[in-house]
Every structure is written in structure tokens, then in C-alpha cells.
């Protein structure tokens, strides 16, 4: 995926294009708003990320410009991860709307491999919902 040979346009695409694909193409074009598809794709991406620790996963999130993750709470059964500067930051607020399921699924796939145990990841806060950041609850 990192083999990019675009001499004129470089290695990035505008955030507007990514948002359009995610929020219009997938949510409106697929059954259940595309959630099953984004969960499957996200888990597969996460399983294949070259991260051997949570810190390395967080660094990949930063370098891939997915967002700026940090652990905000942790105990023996759960981890709460806030993601600042997510792709949805700045979109109009739509109360009770969570749109960052792909990012959560990427986390889930990566964490299952890193921790070598089943985990579930659920988005509990989202910028689009009016929250201050996106946040995920990881259940071990």
C-alpha cells in the first residue's frame, strides 16, 4: 500500500474526498448504512497493520493521519481511547450520530492481534454527535 508513484499529485488525497466516500458512498450506498462493510474492512486493515504494541498502533494512527489517540481510562477489563483531530472534526453536528466505526474497527483488528485475545471496540463519543472528541470503549 505504501508503494506510491504519483510524481505530480503526490501521496495524499483531500479529506473532502475521503469524507465523501465514507459518508455518502458507503453509508448511503450500502445496507445498514455500510456498518457491516466498514467493520469487516476495518478489522482486516487493523489485523495487517505493522504494530506490535498499543504505542506503535497509536503512532500509526498519527502517521496515517487517522487521528491523535490517547488512553483516557484503563482498568483490567476496559480501555477508553480518545481520538483527537479525527476525520470527522468540523462536520456539522448531528445529535445521536456516530460516524467513526471504521476507525474503531481498525483499532479492534489491531488490538486483537497485538493482545492476542478477543476484544470489542465500540464508539461512545463522536465529534459529529457534538462531543469534544471521538472516543472508543475497548472491552477485553
Amino acid at each position: 500500500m505504501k508503494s506510491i508513484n504519483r510524481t505530480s499529485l503526490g501521496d495524499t488525497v483531500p479529506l473532502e474526498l475521503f469524507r465523501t466516500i465514507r459518508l455518502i458512498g458507503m453509508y448511503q450506498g450500502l445496507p445498514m448504512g455500510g456498518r457491516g462493510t466498514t467493520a469487516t474492512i476495518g478489522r482486516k486493515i487493523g489485523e495487517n497493520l505493522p504494530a506490535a504494541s498499543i504505542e506503535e498502533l497509536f503512532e500509526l494512527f498519527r502517521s496515517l493521519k487517522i487521528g491523535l489517540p490517547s488512553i483516557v481510562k484503563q482498568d483490567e477489563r476496559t480501555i477508553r481511547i480518545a481520538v483527537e483531530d479525527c476525520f470527522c472534526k468540523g462536520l456539522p453536528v448531528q445529535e445521536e450520530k456516530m460516524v467513526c466505526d471504521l476507525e474503531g474497527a481498525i483499532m479492534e483488528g489491531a488490538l486483537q492481534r497485538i493482545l492476542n485475545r478477543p476484544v470489542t471496540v465500540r464508539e461512545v463519543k463522536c465529534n459529529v454527535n457534538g462531543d469534544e472528541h471521538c472516543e472508543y470503549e475497548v472491552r477485553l
Side-chain angles (χ1 to χ4, degrees):
M1 294 301 277
K2 285 193 168 242
S3 297
I4 298 167
N5 189 17
R6 291 184 356 151
T7 56
S8 296
L9 296 177
D11 64 353
T12 60
V13 296
L15 186 57
E16 296 88 349
L17 177 60
F18 179 75
R19 284 177 169 176
T20 302
I21 293 167
R22 283 281 308 282
L23 300 176
I24 296 173
M26 295 196 69
Y27 287 153
Q28 293 181 12
L30 295 170
M32 297 182 348
R35 293 208 184 274
T37 302
T38 56
T40 301
I41 291 168
R43 284 186 199 110
K44 216 30 131 171
I45 291 168
E47 290 168 4
N48 289 287
L49 286 177
S53 67
I54 292 174
E55 294 78 22
E56 287 181 13
L57 174 61
F58 285 4
E59 183 51 42
L60 280 169
F61 261 60
R62 288 187 283 275
S63 68
L64 294 170
K65 299 184 180 181
I66 295 171
L68 306 171
S70 63
I71 294 174
V72 293
K73 184 180 176 187
Q74 184 172 5
D75 61 37
E76 63 278 347
R77 301 183 83 174
T78 60
I79 304 170
R80 292 286 281 240
I81 299 172
V83 177
E84 301 286 345
D85 223 11
C86 183
F87 93 97
C88 71
K89 181 103 179 183
L91 287 171
V93 171
Q94 297 178 45
E95 290 185 21
E96 298 186 32
K97 189 90 166 161
M98 306 280 187
V99 300
C100 300
D101 49 308
L102 178 66
E103 292 77 2
I106 291 170
M107 236 185 275
E108 186 174 297
L111 290 171
Q112 285 189 80
R113 189 183 46 72
I114 290 166
L115 301 173
N116 196 30
R117 64 190 287 191
V119 303
T120 59
V121 175
R122 182 174 63 97
E123 186 180 19
V124 294
K125 291 184 180 181
C126 186
N127 288 303
V128 171
N129 186 51
D131 297 311
E132 67 278 10
H133 56 252
C134 295
E135 190 169 312
Y136 302 88
E137 180 179 80
V138 180
R139 291 202 170 261
L140 307 174

